[in-house]
Amino acid sequence: MESDERLLALLRADEFVSGEAIAEALGITRAAVAKRVGELRKRGFAIAAAPRRGYRLDAVPDALTGDVVAPQLTTAWLGRAWRHFARVESTNDEAGAWARAGAPAGAVVVADEQTRGRGRLGRRWHSPPGASLYFSVVLRPPLPPHRVPPLTLAAGVAVAEALVQFDAAPALKWPNDVQLDGKKVAGILTEMSADLDRVHHVVIGIGVNLNVLAFPDELAAIATSLALVVGAPVARAEFAAALCARLEHWYDRFVADGAAPVVAAWKQHARFLGRRVQVSAGRERMEGVAEDLDDDGALKLRLDDGRTLRVVAGELTLGPGPASR
Ligand code: BTN
């Protein structure tokens, strides 16, 4: 536990704790305790001090640091190793580097700001400072590489369920978009390092627009945030802890029982299933009815000539014509 975490754990007693007791527990002087309390206050912790009674923690800041998030975690393993950065190029890059250096499964990297946040298909991910969640988790699934793709769907279900806990009604758009009111609120970027038959690690990167109140012109029509939809600011640490819990649940379920339960849960939140859609995959463009997902999470697209195509990756938009069912 880092040192502020130990001090905060002592202060979390909900009542005054004497400077002397803290000093003894941490093996430091009372003057050092006073100095550390001052540093915590500068970080936004509200700590009351009363003569002869000591210190009491009254409020914690909306920060994504480990010492703020850890007490809110309910997980067994996901998020128990935690790195927070004020600013990074991409949390997926940091998580990948940490994974190569031996990060345990479930290690999480978060940042307040990304300067080169990445989306799928080479796109940028809008990552303004302080407003949202930029989150990447290292996973080490005991599976062959070809069985990993439904993990992205598991992450989608986890994000959707976390959003539900914050009073929103999310919809999932295949393969990895999360929407509120028809606009994108979150995206998932899964990256894998593997040999032909063995996964080294997977990094699932999740961006959730939490407290963004205005988007750049090019995104305004297609993006939204949780705060805009529910009409109130969202505590980022609380959301991060909720996301960790749902992610751990769905990852464990996927590894234990395979993709079918994940796909079934995903379909409960699905948007566009049964609708006429266009799918672009690389240079190919197809149109048909998005009939279903198969048990591996691939899209079953029924073409107008009656054939059914299995699409494993692509970009889906609502098609122009009427749905044929
Ligand atoms: C997409 O919808 O295209 C995926 C967006 C994924 C964005 C997240 S933000 C945290 C992590 N770091 C990145 O650079 N990208 C992912």
Side-chain angles (χ1 to χ4, degrees), residues 90-92 114 116-120 125 134-136 176-177 184 187-189 205-207:
S90 158
T91 54
N92 264 33
Q114 295 186 119
R116 291 175 76 86
R118 284 187 275 120
R120 285 174 69 234
W125 183 256
Y134 315 117
F135 174 105
S136 299
N176 72 342
D177 283 7
K184 185 155 169 171
I188 298 158
L189 178 67
I206 301 176

Side-chain angles (χ1 to χ4, degrees), residues 69-70 72-83 98 104-110 133 135-140 151 154-155 158 202 204 206 239-253:
V69 178
Q72 304 186 51
L73 283 176
T74 56
T75 53
W77 56 271
L78 199 150
R80 293 295 167 179
W82 190 272
R83 280 187 185 170
W98 193 9
V108 167
V109 175
V110 290
L133 184 64
F135 174 105
S136 299
V137 58
V138 176
L139 297 168
R140 299 187 182 278
L151 253 187
V202 172
I204 298 188
I206 301 176
F239 189 90
L243 178 60
C244 286
R246 297 325 297 152
L247 257 181
E248 179 177 281
H249 169 85
W250 283 110
Y251 176 87
D252 284 345
R253 188 78 204 275

Side-chain angles (χ1 to χ4, degrees), residues 5-312:
E5 271 188 60
R6 291 185 58 205
L7 173 53
L8 284 165
L10 292 165
L11 288 172
R12 274 177 216 281
D14 246 8
E15 54 195 33
F16 280 97
V17 188
S18 76
E20 200 176 345
I22 296 173
E24 199 180 310
L26 298 185
I28 58 178
T29 63
R30 285 176 64 176
V33 172
K35 186 162 171 255
R36 294 260 299 277
V37 166
E39 283 158 6
L40 284 174
R41 284 191 181 126
K42 278 191 207 140
R43 287 179 51 204
F45 291 87
I47 300 169
R52 285 185 300 281
R53 299 181 71 193
Y55 301 99
R56 188 187 62 203
L57 180 63
D58 287 338
V60 295
D62 178 28
L64 290 171
T65 50
D67 52 11
V68 172
V69 178
Q72 304 186 51
L73 283 176
T74 56
T75 53
W77 56 271
L78 199 150
R80 293 295 167 179
W82 190 272
R83 280 187 185 170
H84 163 263
F85 294 89
R87 190 180 216 219
V88 285
E89 290 200 346
S90 158
T91 54
N92 264 33
D93 291 346
E94 294 295 336
W98 193 9
R100 287 188 293 279
V108 167
V109 175
V110 290
D112 292 320
E113 179 182 5
Q114 295 186 119
T115 53
R116 291 175 76 86
R118 284 187 275 120
R120 285 174 69 234
L121 310 169
R123 297 187 185 129
R124 299 289 288 252
W125 183 256
H126 179 57
S127 308
S132 284
L133 184 64
Y134 315 117
F135 174 105
S136 299
V137 58
V138 176
L139 297 168
R140 299 187 182 278
L143 300 169
H146 70 273
R147 296 212 24 223
V148 166
L151 253 187
T152 302
L153 301 183
V157 175
V159 175
E161 291 183 349
L163 288 166
V164 167
Q165 288 177 27
F166 283 73
D167 300 325
L172 292 170
K173 188 186 133 197
W174 188 85
N176 72 342
D177 283 7
V178 189
Q179 299 185 329
L180 290 178
D181 293 348
K183 293 179 173 183
K184 185 155 169 171
V185 68
I188 298 158
L189 178 67
T190 303
E191 296 177 319
M192 174 164 68
S193 159
D195 293 336
L196 274 180
D197 56 354
R198 193 174 73 89
V199 174
H200 301 303
H201 65 261
V202 172
V203 170
I204 298 188
I206 301 176
V208 190
N209 302 327
L210 291 180
N211 294 318
V212 182
L213 297 181
F215 288 90
D217 287 350
E218 68 277 15
L219 295 178
I222 55 170
T224 191
S225 71
L226 181 54
L228 281 174
V229 170
V230 299
V234 178
R236 291 181 305 157
E238 201 185 317
F239 189 90
L243 178 60
C244 286
R246 297 325 297 152
L247 257 181
E248 179 177 281
H249 169 85
W250 283 110
Y251 176 87
D252 284 345
R253 188 78 204 275
F254 173 56
V255 170
D257 298 330
V262 172
V263 173
W266 195 93
K267 284 200 272 192
Q268 288 182 358
H269 293 283
R271 189 164 177 239
F272 291 2
L273 282 190
R275 304 282 301 271
R276 192 165 183 84
V277 294
Q278 292 183 336
V279 182
S280 38
R283 288 193 184 160
E284 253 191 291
R285 227 175 148 74
M286 299 157 270
E287 204 174 306
V289 174
E291 271 204 327
D292 203 357
L293 297 193
D294 69 16
D295 274 356
D296 294 326
L299 180 72
K300 286 196 218 165
L301 184 71
R302 183 157 49 78
L303 304 177
D304 292 340
D305 63 10
R307 282 182 304 145
T308 301
L309 276 189
R310 184 173 181 273
V311 189
V312 292

